[in-house]
Amino acid sequence: MAGTRFQLLSVFSRQFSSLNNVSTVQPKLRIDDIRRRRLTIFDKEYKRQQALIPRLEKIEVNYEGLDNEAITLVMNKGVSTPYNCAQHINEQLLKRSVVAEINGELWDMHRPISSDCTLKLLHMKQEDQHQATQVNKAFWRSCSFLLGAVVESSFQDEISVCLHSFPPANVRSGSFVYDVQLNLEDWVPTQNDFRQIAASFQKFVRQDHVFQRLDVDSSVALSMFEDNAFKSEQIPHIATKSSTGRTITVYRVGDHIDISRGPMIASSSLVGRCSIAAIHKLSPKFYRFQGVALPSEIHINHFAFGILESRARKLLDIAVWSSNGEEE
């Protein structure tokens, strides 16, 4: 929401030598205005879809927990979510659940359930290797999404910021990534820049924003992102790969909206210690922001986290995504 917006990065003001000789172009709209317009479209579409639910129908959700725990819940079709189910089970399960499995399919915690199903709730310390990999990917993907939110809102209005895309979640890479176009030819960020971006990231995730998913028609998505040439190019291509050939999945976190197939973690508060490890210049005006983070329930000492930071500074061997956005 607009009220949760933070303004921290004086580092990008004109006082810094890295920007003294930069020729900037005033963007057509301020980021605040762009976000408000996207939120208006998102809220309107969400309300339209909710109005299509004629009446509440009941469904059975069979929860499968540890030690053969089995609970049958009667929930509301198209309204109740895995998060709502967890609320009916116990508070500890609610707090540590990262994503869900619905009939074996990975599912967002705040995504409505559409039919009778079997439900599993997954956390960051899954013993099953496949489930652990899927949870880690959701965590890494969500961190990339959050990084885009922070970067987009970090620069002053005279510096235009255009989010391009983030690559598929790859835990082995050591870092999560977002590629961004800035109208800065030769920006060389300082250590203070890194610290302040990390502080902004940390402040944002601690505000406990939920990841709200919405599947929309590609025409709605194009309207949302008409100010972003990269997203406008990616949307038709992504839509063709959906089951309908026209659907785009968008997520809202706070006042930020972006494209991703998901799934995402339940809340930003599940992200713990984090750092902005590197900002690589890919080409004129194109920069790759790389970060590293730990889940909130995992704690390591300063030395060990420093090793992770060092690993995360390496430029990932991936191309700038020209047509697909985030894709797997």
Side-chain angles (χ1 to χ4, degrees), residues 253-266:
V253 176
D255 65 349
H256 178 67
I257 296 172
D258 203 353
I259 301 166
S260 176
R261 292 195 310 180
M264 300 289 185
I265 60 177

Side-chain angles (χ1 to χ4, degrees), residues 160-317:
S160 65
V161 182
C162 194
L163 298 184
H164 185 281
S165 58
F166 54 97
N170 182 354
V171 179
R172 293 181 180 178
S173 70
S175 63
F176 54 86
V177 172
Y178 212 117
D179 291 338
V180 182
Q181 185 189 61
L182 308 173
N183 64 329
L184 303 174
E185 291 285 353
D186 294 299
W187 174 45
V188 180
T190 67
Q191 285 304 308
N192 193 46
D193 296 351
F194 287 106
R195 284 192 292 270
Q196 291 205 46
I197 298 172
S200 298
F201 190 98
Q202 194 72 259
K203 180 177 180 179
F204 189 57
V205 300
R206 286 176 177 171
Q207 292 172 345
D208 194 18
H209 297 295
V210 302
F211 281 81
Q212 183 181 2
R213 175 188 174 118
L214 188 66
D215 295 326
V216 303
D217 188 83
S218 58
S219 62
V220 176
L222 285 170
S223 179
M224 279 186 187
F225 294 96
E226 65 181 15
D227 55 89
N228 186 313
F230 302 124
K231 305 288 183 183
S232 296
E233 180 185 0
Q234 294 158 10
I235 285 168
H237 176 83
I238 297 171
T240 60
K241 295 187 175 183
S242 69
S243 59
T244 65
R246 292 187 55 84
T247 303
I248 293 290
T249 301
V250 297
Y251 283 85
R252 172 182 176 175
V253 176
D255 65 349
H256 178 67
I257 296 172
D258 203 353
I259 301 166
S260 176
R261 292 195 310 180
M264 300 289 185
I265 60 177
S267 164
S268 65
S269 64
L270 292 166
V271 180
R273 187 172 182 177
C274 66
S275 174
I276 304 304
I279 302 173
H280 297 286
K281 182 180 179 181
L282 302 179
S283 63
K285 300 185 179 182
F286 250 104
Y287 297 85
R288 175 163 293 159
F289 290 73
Q290 295 182 192
V292 62
L294 295 173
S296 56
E297 64 178 289
I298 296 178
H299 304 278
I300 61 176
N301 61 40
H302 179 75
F303 177 77
F305 191 75
I307 294 174
L308 295 179
E309 286 182 299
S310 297
R311 179 187 176 200
R313 292 189 184 105
K314 182 180 179 181
L315 176 63
L316 297 189
D317 186 19

Side-chain angles (χ1 to χ4, degrees), residues 6-117:
F6 48 91
Q7 301 286 347
L8 291 182
L9 296 188
S10 60
V11 62
F12 300 116
S13 69
R14 290 174 179 169
Q15 64 179 303
F16 284 80
S17 59
S18 61
L19 300 187
N20 282 347
N21 298 317
V22 172
S23 174
T24 61
V25 178
Q26 183 69 25
K28 293 181 180 179
L29 292 172
R30 296 172 62 245
I31 292 300
D32 282 335
D33 297 328
I34 290 172
R35 287 187 166 186
R36 275 194 292 269
R37 191 181 61 78
R38 288 178 187 164
L39 286 171
T40 298
I41 297 171
F42 184 100
D43 288 341
K44 181 180 178 180
E45 176 62 16
Y46 175 77
K47 291 176 181 177
R48 186 193 71 81
Q49 292 187 21
Q50 289 298 296
L52 295 177
I53 302 174
R55 60 184 178 83
L56 290 181
E57 298 180 29
K58 298 299 181 181
I59 56 174
E60 282 194 0
V61 177
N62 296 305
Y63 168 69
E64 296 181 355
L66 297 175
D67 301 322
N68 297 317
E69 179 184 14
I71 299 174
T72 298
L73 302 168
V74 178
M75 307 300 290
N76 294 319
K77 178 179 179 180
V79 176
S80 298
T81 66
Y83 185 87
N84 298 140
C85 294
Q87 288 177 311
H88 288 285
I89 302 172
N90 67 65
E91 186 175 356
Q92 182 181 6
L93 184 66
L94 179 68
K95 288 181 177 179
R96 74 186 309 227
S97 295
V98 177
V99 290
E101 264 190 12
I102 297 290
N103 294 335
E105 178 185 353
L106 214 61
W107 201 268
D108 296 270
M109 288 294 293
H110 297 283
R111 182 182 178 184
I113 303 170
S114 57
S115 62
D116 294 343
C117 66

Side-chain angles (χ1 to χ4, degrees), residues 146-164:
L146 293 167
L147 179 60
V150 170
V151 171
E152 186 181 60
S153 64
S154 293
F155 293 82
Q156 292 191 349
D157 290 334
E158 64 266 24
I159 307 300
S160 65
V161 182
C162 194
L163 298 184
H164 185 281

